Amino acid sequence: MGAVTLGLLGSHLGVAQAAGEPDTGMDTSLTMGVPPTDALADDASLEPGETDEDPDAAPSEEELVLGADSTVKEREVAPEIAEDGEHVGLAAGQRAACDKQVEDVAGTPWAQFAACGSSLEPAIELSTDERAALSQLETAVDTSAAEAAVLADIPDAGQAGSQDTTQDGAEEAASTAPADESAAAAEAAKRTPWKEPKWCIDAGVDSTWYIERLRGCGIWRSGLNVIDVRTGRTVGGITYIVIGYSFSARDSKTWAYQVKLLETKRWGRGVNGTKVSGSASCIGKCKVVNKSFPSQTISKTSESYGQFFIDTTINTAASKQRGTGRSVAKWTFTNSQWAAPSEPTKLATVDVRCDNALPGAPRQVGCVNVAAVPVISYSLTGPWPEVAEHIKDAQATGLPGKYGTTDYLTRLTDRKKITENREKACPSSLQRPPGKSCDEYAFASTWQGAKYGSGKFSRRMVDAGQNTDAGKALKGFYTYSRVLEGDRFLVWIR
């Protein structure tokens, strides 16, 4: 689990026993939503700690800090997508493309070798060579600062080696090694590989993307076979691992993607001098604005890698826009002993959603891994224990949002509906003891709240100051993790 400064999530959670409701023995009311017998005041004023939340108001610096500290940086397995580990012509173990290539070059007078890749495959157990390759990597426990620096200093999209790609599913032809080897070497010398998170390397080779809200990483196993075109026999090969790493920012229209190839073993003929180069395209509402994957020698002593920057293509001139896209990296191998380059291998990122639809941040564009469900954490021994205890007890009764389940909370941003949720759970007619305020769960700012949920909710009188700060943390969490209308999230009580 990522280190978390435990902050809160809670919006105004209601407590206090309503008239005629059963006593749970914990000063908590779990109710089907029947309002108390006392009439609701027409212009009820809020008690201290019961902030009249306006989702369209910009969060304060304090709220952002509390929200960031409350966010759990927990990895989860990403759902598979069509381009995950796709190997052109060899998907599902098919050898059609390889056989066709060997057949096509067999008639070339000087041809001796052809090269074919193997599918990207998971590893049940890491080999000694794979362990050795991974152990040499310098990884980072927290990559946040480095990622922010990279996105703040994006290379000029007009520089050499960078060109726009068409969007909405278009793909360009696989790149080959630059004709000017000295220019390629100069470009490679200017580049520096980004350090993947330590948790990515620790996960090992299992051909799976692990994702957080702002980053994703995974490791795949693959290989290259050299075929003698005269006999059709495999006479040499290279095995390697692929590390895919992507990251975005909550306040940037651009996200980044890197693929790194590490050789683990080679054998036989026709492999010495093998080089790799590549490119990238984008599927969906995005375009590649900078790409760098020049021809590089693949070996055990070097890291061959490509780096790409992707921009969203949503209409940022209009309000409340959102769109998803994923970048597809591809690479080919070349060797002077081969009749032709290998067929390209592809690896796509997960879906990245970019938007300018975040309440309180009009026009600000940010991008997140939409499949990563954000989690806000609250500690029973932290600064707001009364709110945490209430949420824990409420979740124990079966109310949604508990971490580790798929019974999600979903954000509600309509101010009128939020107020209706709150007034049903914590009407002004309920008496508040001195220094206390009404805390409700599920949060009023969710579709599972008292008015618009299942009809079940919980309320409790808690320390007013704790309730206020808990609400600030929830608002900051929404902004920090770009939780939009209808987005799912969970609450972890620690």
Side-chain angles (χ1 to χ4, degrees):
M1 307 298 179
V4 178
T5 303
L6 300 174
L8 170 72
L9 354 81
S11 124
H12 314 287
L13 305 163
V15 205
Q17 287 298 123
E21 293 176 346
D23 188 351
T24 65
M26 304 182 69
D27 191 29
T28 299
S29 170
L30 177 63
T31 169
M32 292 300 292
V34 179
T37 55
D38 293 343
L40 222 103
D42 290 335
D43 57 348
S45 59
L46 295 167
E47 296 295 325
E50 296 174 60
T51 307
D52 185 13
E53 180 182 346
D54 179 2
D56 292 321
S60 66
E61 189 65 31
E62 178 190 10
E63 289 168 340
L64 281 175
V65 170
L66 290 174
D69 286 347
S70 317
T71 301
V72 178
K73 297 176 178 61
E74 174 75 354
R75 276 74 60 191
E76 59 184 278
V77 177
E80 293 184 2
I81 57 176
E83 287 79 16
D84 253 357
E86 178 187 356
H87 194 99
V88 175
L90 287 175
Q94 298 176 5
R95 293 189 53 85
C98 182
D99 292 342
K100 180 66 166 57
Q101 182 177 358
V102 171
E103 179 183 339
D104 289 344
V105 302
T108 305
W110 61 270
Q112 181 179 2
F113 300 123
C116 299
S118 63
S119 301
L120 299 183
E121 299 174 349
I124 304 301
E125 293 184 4
L126 292 179
S127 69
T128 302
D129 295 319
E130 288 168 339
R131 291 184 185 279
L134 291 175
S135 67
Q136 296 177 29
L137 291 176
E138 184 180 359
T139 59
V141 175
D142 184 357
T143 55
S144 300
E147 291 164 357
V150 167
L151 291 175
D153 189 28
I154 299 169
D156 181 2
Q159 70 181 36
S162 302
Q163 46 186 296
D164 287 347
T165 61
T166 56
Q167 60 194 67
D168 297 326
E171 292 186 2
E172 61 185 30
S175 64
T176 56
D180 188 343
E181 293 292 342
S182 61
E187 180 185 348
K190 297 177 183 177
R191 301 169 351 122
T192 302
W194 305 323
K195 295 179 183 178
E196 302 86 358
K198 185 177 185 300
W199 53 260
C200 179
I201 308 305
D202 290 345
V205 183
D206 58 5
S207 296
T208 300
W209 279 103
Y210 290 89
I211 56 174
E212 300 174 345
R213 198 67 167 172
L214 297 177
R215 61 184 57 83
C217 196
I219 308 177
W220 287 256
R221 167 192 285 169
S222 192
L224 179 75
N225 296 319
V226 178
I227 313 296
D228 188 320
V229 299
R230 296 166 298 184
T231 65
R233 298 177 61 182
T234 301
V235 295
I238 295 174
T239 59
Y240 63 96
I241 52 180
V242 183
I243 304 175
Y245 171 38
S246 68
F247 52 91
S248 60
R250 65 175 186 83
D251 55 0
S252 173
K253 68 176 183 177
T254 305
W255 43 285
Y257 180 29
Q258 174 179 276
V259 288
K260 185 184 294 183
L261 279 58
L262 303 176
E263 179 183 323
T264 58
K265 188 177 182 179
R266 66 171 57 197
W267 63 279
R269 295 183 290 153
V271 293
N272 290 339
T274 299
K275 295 185 177 182
V276 62
S277 61
S279 188
S281 58
C282 214
I283 297 174
K285 292 293 184 179
C286 56
K287 64 179 180 179
V288 181
V289 294
N290 185 286
K291 62 186 75 173
S292 177
F293 199 160
S295 179
Q296 302 154 77
T297 299
I298 183 169
S299 71
K300 284 189 174 183
T301 59
S302 64
E303 297 178 0
S304 304
Y305 61 97
Q307 294 174 336
F308 316 104
F309 292 93
I310 302 95
D311 271 7
T312 181
T313 56
I314 62 171
N315 180 13
T316 56
S319 63
K320 298 183 178 180
Q321 300 296 299
R322 64 175 83 183
T324 61
R326 59 180 178 268
S327 181
V328 183
K330 52 189 170 185
W331 56 92
T332 58
F333 295 94
T334 58
N335 192 301
S336 60
Q337 303 175 73
W338 305 345
S342 68
E343 287 291 313
T345 301
K346 296 180 182 181
L347 181 63
T349 63
V350 299
D351 282 342
V352 175
R353 183 191 70 195
C354 299
D355 74 89
N356 66 349
L358 185 67
R363 305 298 186 185
Q364 181 198 73
V365 182
C367 303
V368 298
N369 292 325
V370 67
V373 178
V375 179
I376 186 165
S377 178
Y378 185 49
S379 174
L380 294 168
T381 58
W384 311 301
E386 292 187 22
V387 178
E389 186 73 33
H390 177 216
I391 298 172
K392 177 184 176 183
D393 293 341
Q395 290 179 343
T397 69
L399 291 178
K402 185 176 181 180
Y403 176 71
T405 73
T406 56
D407 193 8
Y408 303 109
L409 296 174
T410 50
R411 188 181 181 188
L412 170 65
T413 59
D414 184 290
R415 185 176 182 180
K416 181 175 181 292
K417 289 182 171 63
I418 292 172
T419 299
E420 291 173 342
N421 272 339
R422 182 171 298 115
E423 288 180 346
K424 183 169 183 177
C426 292
S428 60
S429 56
L430 287 176
Q431 184 177 359
R432 276 74 163 166
K436 298 285 187 177
S437 67
C438 185
D439 183 36
E440 87 240 7
Y441 189 86
F443 307 138
S445 56
T446 68
W447 281 99
Q448 292 71 33
K451 169 75 173 179
Y452 291 94
S454 65
K456 295 181 179 180
F457 60 90
S458 177
R459 61 169 166 249
R460 181 181 297 180
M461 293 298 169
V462 300
D463 179 88
Q466 292 186 30
N467 204 8
T468 296
D469 289 343
K472 291 178 180 179
L474 181 62
K475 184 172 183 177
F477 163 75
Y478 285 152
T479 301
Y480 180 79
S481 296
R482 295 198 75 87
V483 183
L484 306 184
E485 168 70 34
D487 275 5
R488 305 173 301 173
F489 68 99
L490 292 168
V491 182
W492 186 10
I493 302 302
R494 299 174 62 162

